[in-house]
Amino acid sequence: MLPLLFAAALLAPVASSAASDGIIRAPVNALRASAPAAKLRSRQNAIEVLNQRQGTRYAVEIEVGTPGQKMEIILDTGSPDTWINPVCETANVPEDCFAAARFDASKSKTLNSTGVQDILRYGIGNATIEYVYETVSIGSATISNQIIGVASESHSIPLGILGMSPPLTGENEYPYILDTMVDQGLIKSRAFTLDLRGVDNPTGALIFGGIDTGKYIGTLAKLPMLTPEQTPVGADRYYVTMTGIGLTLDTGEVVQSDVTVPVFLDSGSTFSHLPTVIVQAIAGSFAESEYDPESGYYFVPCDVTDIDATIDFYFSKKVIRVPLNDFIWQVEQYCILGVLPEEEEPMLGDTFLRAAYAVFDQDNRAIHLAQAANCGENLVAIGSGEDAVPSSTGECTELPTPTGGGKSLDVTRTRAPTAKFTGSAPTIVGGPGPAASKGSDGGDGPLPTDKAEGDKDKNAAGGFGVAWGVMGAVVVGNVLAGMLL
């Protein structure tokens, strides 16, 4: 645990630089993981979030130090800590790491070291950091004396991380980014909006302190965050209750079943992770899917992504429909379902979030969800208090109403795969996954050596990034024939 004085040092408000409307917003641009941005953009009232598609890492452009040094770091709703300067020689994608800008502490006039070190562990990889006080700029906002980590050692992570989750233990060790934004008057409450968008859409948004009613359909459904006692392993994450799973076919017919599954929303996880029976039911809906027992992945014909059908996620009366083009991950000529089996800590990662408009309200412990869309821009500030997030209706046109149907998706039994995958494939590396533990949580203490701690125990993290093999494409003739179970 960090010393109390260390945590309290930033509680007094200081002069800040922010947008006049109190909203810090961000367009989102798509990039291949193997290529860095063509150039770093000048700081503006918009945080660039770069969708690196081969491995899906969403990177936010920030400035660190005085004068500001621009760099991109991974946007992660699955971990609370913000840190920079991974070690490229031990990164899982070293070429991306070497191509990215790095922070030079010797050139900053505002860096103050604390002398406090910690080990941050993720689903994939870890980082040994030293906490420092430094100036951090995000969009038009400048945060003074923010505590961040500077890595001295890291494994399997190519970029630093912007942590946006609550602390796993439920208690802050120090003021995180959202805390300091509120303390310094940049935003009115600890709330932000995430709109990643589909893989074919070059723009999306990260908004601190506001929503954009031109980017979603219908109303924002307010879902209570589960308490740590209600979550599978007692971790304080962005957990909500998923109440149903299904598919909408290209005919408009719906196949759906009720479930009760606690899931957390994690932008740092490339894939979604759900109980095995649900994964098998979804995969079994594709007649020509093939299962790889080594990785747990299901491969499908790539022509499936041309079908106007969706994977549907239910949260009480709110349904988020994810187009197959967003849910099925494509690498070259190969395709894989965007969901993996996970019994301990189910999560909805990027394959879900690309279709959702999500508002994370830490102060009121609520997640607000709507179907993402794009019909213009209308920013509305998030206030403070119990109803801080506006109840504004989205300005985009409603999706066509499915025709319904009396058939259900069978999630009551395990089943054997229809076919076994026997091919070979390239390796693709995904996001870090959620935070697992840290040295200051009472971890085992020793510094990591040549292997990422998170790699040793998948279940300790509740999720992980991805590396997979893929199959050749086949014809789509009877792909959806198995959907009506």
Side-chain angles (χ1 to χ4, degrees):
M1 181 68 70
L2 301 181
L4 180 60
L5 289 177
F6 184 39
L10 302 184
L11 295 181
V14 300
S16 61
S17 170
S20 58
D21 55 8
I23 300 173
I24 305 161
R25 51 186 175 148
V28 179
N29 297 318
L31 268 190
R32 294 279 180 178
S34 56
K39 63 179 181 178
L40 293 176
R41 300 157 183 82
S42 60
R43 183 163 58 88
Q44 53 187 309
N45 192 34
I47 310 155
E48 303 288 343
V49 182
L50 306 173
N51 174 8
Q52 301 181 350
R53 293 181 59 188
Q54 290 187 353
T56 316
R57 295 187 303 275
Y58 290 88
V60 181
E61 183 181 292
I62 66 172
E63 292 185 15
V64 179
T66 305
Q69 301 175 39
K70 296 178 184 178
M71 62 196 67
E72 294 162 6
I73 59 178
I74 298 168
L75 169 64
D76 188 11
T77 62
S79 64
D81 298 281
T82 295
W83 62 274
I84 56 176
N85 282 12
V87 177
C88 295
E89 288 81 1
T90 52
N92 50 10
V93 191
E95 60 271 25
D96 285 3
C97 184
F98 281 115
R102 299 181 65 78
F103 176 67
D104 185 345
S106 68
K107 295 181 179 179
S108 176
K109 301 176 183 178
T110 48
L111 182 140
N112 286 292
S113 177
T114 68
V116 178
Q117 290 191 332
D118 211 342
I119 304 173
L120 310 179
R121 301 179 180 88
Y122 299 86
I124 283 288
N126 59 48
T128 299
I129 62 167
E130 179 176 342
Y131 291 106
V132 301
Y133 295 101
E134 186 54 287
T135 298
V136 178
S137 296
I138 304 179
S140 63
T142 298
I143 309 170
S144 302
N145 290 323
Q146 176 61 48
I147 298 174
I148 62 172
V150 178
S152 59
E153 184 175 359
S154 65
H155 298 272
S156 301
I157 302 176
L159 298 175
I161 289 178
L162 174 64
M164 299 298 294
S165 83
L168 269 64
T169 61
E171 296 184 4
N172 284 28
E173 292 184 310
Y174 62 89
Y176 299 111
I177 290 284
L178 279 179
D179 302 317
T180 312
M181 282 185 165
V182 173
D183 292 339
Q184 298 186 7
L186 299 172
I187 55 179
K188 295 180 180 178
S189 60
R190 295 181 302 164
F192 65 96
T193 296
L194 190 58
D195 175 22
L196 297 184
R197 302 288 181 79
V199 295
D200 293 328
N201 194 323
T203 59
L206 167 66
I207 306 176
F208 294 94
I211 64 172
D212 186 347
T213 62
K215 296 300 187 290
Y216 62 92
I217 295 169
T219 59
L220 285 165
K222 184 177 182 179
L223 309 174
M225 281 175 56
L226 302 183
T227 66
E229 293 76 20
Q230 294 172 315
T231 66
V233 297
D236 195 11
R237 303 189 191 271
Y238 290 123
Y239 264 105
V240 295
T241 300
M242 186 176 75
T243 60
I245 188 74
L247 305 96
T248 298
L249 311 186
D250 56 351
T251 61
E253 187 171 6
V254 173
V255 180
Q256 182 264 334
S257 284
D258 294 335
V259 299
T260 301
V261 180
V263 293
F264 70 93
L265 308 187
D266 183 16
S267 66
S269 290
T270 302
F271 277 38
S272 296
H273 300 250
L274 294 172
T276 300
V277 291
I278 294 178
V279 175
Q280 290 177 339
I282 294 173
S285 299
F286 297 85
E288 298 183 51
S289 65
E290 295 187 1
Y291 177 67
D292 178 14
E294 290 189 10
S295 65
Y297 303 133
Y298 284 86
F299 303 100
V300 297
C302 287
D303 288 348
V304 171
T305 60
D306 296 327
I307 298 175
D308 187 19
T310 60
I311 308 294
D312 303 336
F313 298 83
Y314 294 77
F315 305 88
S316 188
K317 297 180 180 179
K318 178 61 66 174
V319 185
I320 304 299
R321 304 188 190 280
V322 184
L324 296 186
N325 184 49
D326 288 327
F327 194 76
I328 294 171
W329 196 245
Q330 302 182 60
V331 183
E332 300 171 357
Q333 73 270 36
Y334 309 116
C335 293
I336 182 172
L337 280 179
V339 62
L340 296 169
E342 172 63 51
E343 305 301 332
E344 188 164 283
E345 278 201 290
M347 74 177 76
L348 298 178
D350 296 335
T351 52
F352 166 82
L353 288 170
R354 282 193 288 270
Y357 193 86
V359 184
F360 299 78
D361 182 356
Q362 282 193 22
D363 283 351
N364 292 296
R365 296 194 59 84
I367 309 293
H368 301 249
L369 289 180
Q371 185 76 39
N374 186 7
C375 57
E377 180 179 289
N378 180 39
L379 293 174
V380 181
I382 294 174
S384 59
E386 185 176 349
D387 298 316
V389 176
S391 57
S392 305
T393 299
E395 299 178 6
C396 300
T397 304
E398 291 280 356
L399 296 174
T401 303
T403 58
K407 298 183 178 180
S408 65
L409 185 68
D410 185 1
V411 295
T412 63
R413 61 185 176 90
T414 58
R415 66 199 77 189
T418 55
K420 183 178 179 180
F421 171 70
T422 57
S424 60
T427 297
I428 307 292
V429 179
S437 64
K438 54 199 294 188
S440 54
D441 289 339
D444 52 17
L447 296 177
T449 54
D450 61 343
K451 182 172 177 61
E453 294 288 339
D455 293 342
K456 297 179 181 179
D457 185 359
K458 168 177 94 69
N459 292 326
F464 42 84
V466 298
W468 65 83
V470 286
M471 62 169 285
V474 296
V475 295
V476 71
N478 296 319
V479 170
L480 297 180
M483 279 187 169
L484 304 180
L485 303 179

